[in-house]
Amino acid sequence: MTAPRILLIEDAEAIRVSVEAALGTAGFEVRARADGEAIEQDLVGFRPDLVVLDVLLPGRDGFELLSLIRRNSAAGVVMLTARDGVEDRLRGLGEGADDYVVKPFVLAELVARVTAVLRRTGRTRPTVEIGDLVVDAEAGMALYAGERVDLTTTEWKLLSHLAAHRDRVRSKTQILAAVWGYDDYAENLVEVNVSTLRRKLEQHGPRILHTVRGQGYVLRGEVG
């Protein structure tokens, strides 16, 4: 299954470049445009799963493009605007936008909102979520706070096993059997790999992989 496709229409270059990079890092396939002049072709040729749409655009504005999208596509729509008036937000949502983000915004929040809309519209793969961590088994990808976590094959297998048993303590023996295929030695192998995985995760957010003394390890969102 391919990554969800995002069409980004934003005329401010700095915002367009940063949003495109953030969405790409999060694992989406992104096509970025400075205006909506090619939107008819993009809806047919690129077939986006979701459109991130600025309101104030040269030529056709975001509301006109929203109407066009709703007539021709089932794609989700997240609108961006510098306007913070309630009227604009109500208009966008009333005309079919799925969400509305007011500038300035935090990139991680936008990625999270895009992901949430895709999930509601059934355009994402089944995932496991623990706090801000999203583990996508089909894509072989983990996102933490909207950023992709760079993992080795072994680290991915370890994370997948712990995610599949979220909130349940897994012993070193159980982890050895699931990840390496044996269960009677080399417990230090688990300790080393858990330590490395934990360090990589904590580069993106708070501790989510916990040690339960004398029992093993558990993946859970709350501190404990």
Side-chain angles (χ1 to χ4, degrees):
M1 186 178 291
T2 59
R5 295 178 295 275
I6 310 296
L7 175 61
L8 167 63
I9 305 178
E10 165 62 64
D11 64 320
E13 182 177 7
I15 296 175
R16 186 174 66 252
V17 169
S18 61
V19 170
E20 181 180 12
L23 291 171
T25 299
F28 299 114
E29 181 182 350
V30 185
R31 178 175 292 183
R33 302 288 196 189
D35 56 49
E37 295 309 307
I39 192 169
E40 288 90 349
Q41 295 93 317
D42 286 332
L43 291 177
V44 174
F46 183 59
R47 293 180 295 110
D49 296 300
L50 183 140
V51 181
V52 177
L53 179 62
D54 188 27
V55 169
L56 298 177
L57 292 167
R60 295 179 289 183
D61 70 12
F63 294 119
E64 184 177 351
L65 296 177
L66 173 61
S67 178
L68 188 152
I69 293 167
R70 283 290 161 258
R71 292 196 305 269
N72 296 278
S73 172
V77 177
V78 174
M79 300 192 77
L80 305 178
T81 184
R83 299 174 177 173
D84 57 3
V86 174
E87 294 80 3
D88 279 338
R89 280 179 280 176
L90 290 176
R91 180 183 175 187
L93 295 171
E95 294 183 10
D98 295 282
D99 205 349
Y100 213 105
V101 180
V102 177
K103 301 174 184 176
F105 52 83
V106 177
L107 288 171
E109 178 188 359
L110 175 60
V111 172
R113 287 176 176 266
V114 165
T115 302
V117 171
L118 287 169
R119 188 183 306 114
R120 290 200 303 268
T121 57
R123 297 299 186 104
T124 54
R125 292 173 288 264
T127 58
V128 176
E129 298 183 24
I130 307 99
D132 289 332
L133 176 68
V134 179
V135 180
D136 185 336
E138 288 190 22
M141 177 178 68
L143 302 177
Y144 197 5
E147 297 185 2
R148 187 163 186 164
V149 184
D150 184 22
L151 301 173
T152 66
T153 299
T154 298
E155 290 162 357
W156 167 252
K157 290 169 67 176
L158 174 58
L159 179 61
S160 297
H161 176 71
L162 292 170
H165 298 84
R166 57 169 297 174
D167 298 321
R168 287 177 284 173
V169 178
R170 305 300 288 169
S171 70
K172 292 179 183 179
T173 300
Q174 289 171 320
I175 293 171
L176 277 168
V179 178
W180 286 276
Y182 48 80
D183 57 11
D184 57 351
Y185 61 99
E187 290 188 350
N188 183 61
L189 188 62
V190 176
E191 296 174 4
V192 170
N193 280 273
V194 166
S195 177
T196 302
L197 175 59
R198 177 184 287 139
R199 185 168 59 251
K200 288 187 175 182
L201 292 172
E202 290 178 6
Q203 291 174 355
H204 302 279
R207 176 159 296 191
I208 198 168
L209 175 50
H210 306 280
T211 300
V212 180
R213 190 177 300 276
Q215 297 183 50
Y217 305 96
V218 60
L219 200 62
R220 60 172 176 248
E222 75 276 9
V223 176

